[in-house]
Amino acid sequence: MTAPLPYGPTVTAVLTPLRKAFLVLNHWVTAPLIRAGGGPLLTTPLAGSILLLRTTGRSSGLVREAPLGYTVIDGRVVVVAGYGRGAHWFLNALADPQVEVLLPGALIAGHAAEITQPGERRAAFRTLIGSMGVVGRLTLGDVRGKSDAEVDMLASAFPILAITPTAVRPGPFDPGGIGTWINTALWVALAAAGLAAAASRRKNR
């Protein structure tokens, strides 16, 4: 039997429906938006930044995508398994550490590895959860004020994965990417709106 995750009582009470809601939201909104180059729209100081992690399914061999909050520490992209060690993307990355990370402004290939050294893991956990702003504080509290023992307990339940970049891949805003077409459409729409507004002003004179 899996031990319950060490969330507070409020989050624990709504964890199952919240997880189901996020699965739907991530599949139909978050992942497509990031894939299309809309990652910067999801980046705020209150909620942090979100990436799209691509792993290889350990059973299916198919590409699997997971939107995750992240931070960058010493040149590595760092993410946390918010649903514990049973998270599919985490198990996929352990089985095949060659992953892709679609950041708000770049697509990189990288090698994933769990951070297990206690001091490094503790520091990474505090930095990452702190970077998630309100979301991090609502779910796990203010980790900056927690003791090392408390952070160690949380980091053990919610493992940290560090991804070391190995290559830069063409992203949505690189030449030929879908983001370039979206930007073109936006500029055309803005120009058309400007011309329409100018024509309307002339007509009303």
Side-chain angles (χ1 to χ4, degrees):
M1 186 174 180
T2 304
L5 294 170
Y7 283 115
T10 302
V11 175
T12 299
V14 299
L15 191 59
T16 297
L18 194 63
R19 187 173 189 177
K20 291 179 179 178
F22 271 117
L23 284 173
V24 174
L25 182 67
N26 287 341
H27 180 75
W28 293 105
V29 179
T30 310
L33 184 61
I34 297 174
R35 208 180 295 127
L41 299 175
L42 302 174
T43 299
T44 67
L46 294 178
S49 301
I50 300 178
L51 57 72
L52 195 63
L53 176 65
R54 291 174 177 156
T55 60
T56 301
R58 59 197 182 282
S59 299
S60 67
L62 301 176
V63 175
R64 301 302 187 190
E65 295 181 330
L68 303 166
Y70 76 96
T71 192
V72 178
I73 302 175
D74 296 330
R76 297 186 296 173
V77 178
V78 179
V79 293
V80 61
Y83 293 113
R85 293 186 171 275
H88 292 299
W89 63 262
F90 179 73
L91 295 174
N92 288 344
L94 292 184
D96 183 351
Q98 303 309 313
V99 301
E100 282 190 347
V101 178
L102 181 53
L103 299 168
L107 175 61
I108 63 172
H111 183 276
E114 182 181 358
I115 297 177
T116 57
Q117 198 282 327
E120 182 186 3
R121 183 179 67 174
R122 200 177 296 136
F125 192 87
R126 284 192 170 108
T127 300
L128 177 56
I129 303 304
S131 74
M132 292 180 178
V134 174
V135 174
R137 285 194 292 275
L138 285 177
T139 54
L140 294 175
D142 189 351
V143 294
R144 294 170 300 181
K146 293 185 182 297
S147 68
D148 286 352
E150 289 174 309
V151 172
D152 285 342
M153 183 269 293
L154 290 172
S156 177
F158 305 111
I160 296 283
L161 200 69
I163 301 156
T164 303
T166 56
V168 178
R169 301 274 172 81
F173 288 99
D174 291 313
I178 189 173
T180 61
W181 291 101
I182 292 173
N183 277 349
T184 300
L186 288 173
W187 280 112
V188 170
L190 285 172
L195 290 172
S200 177
R201 283 197 299 269
R202 285 197 298 270
K203 184 178 179 181
N204 292 331
R205 285 177 182 171

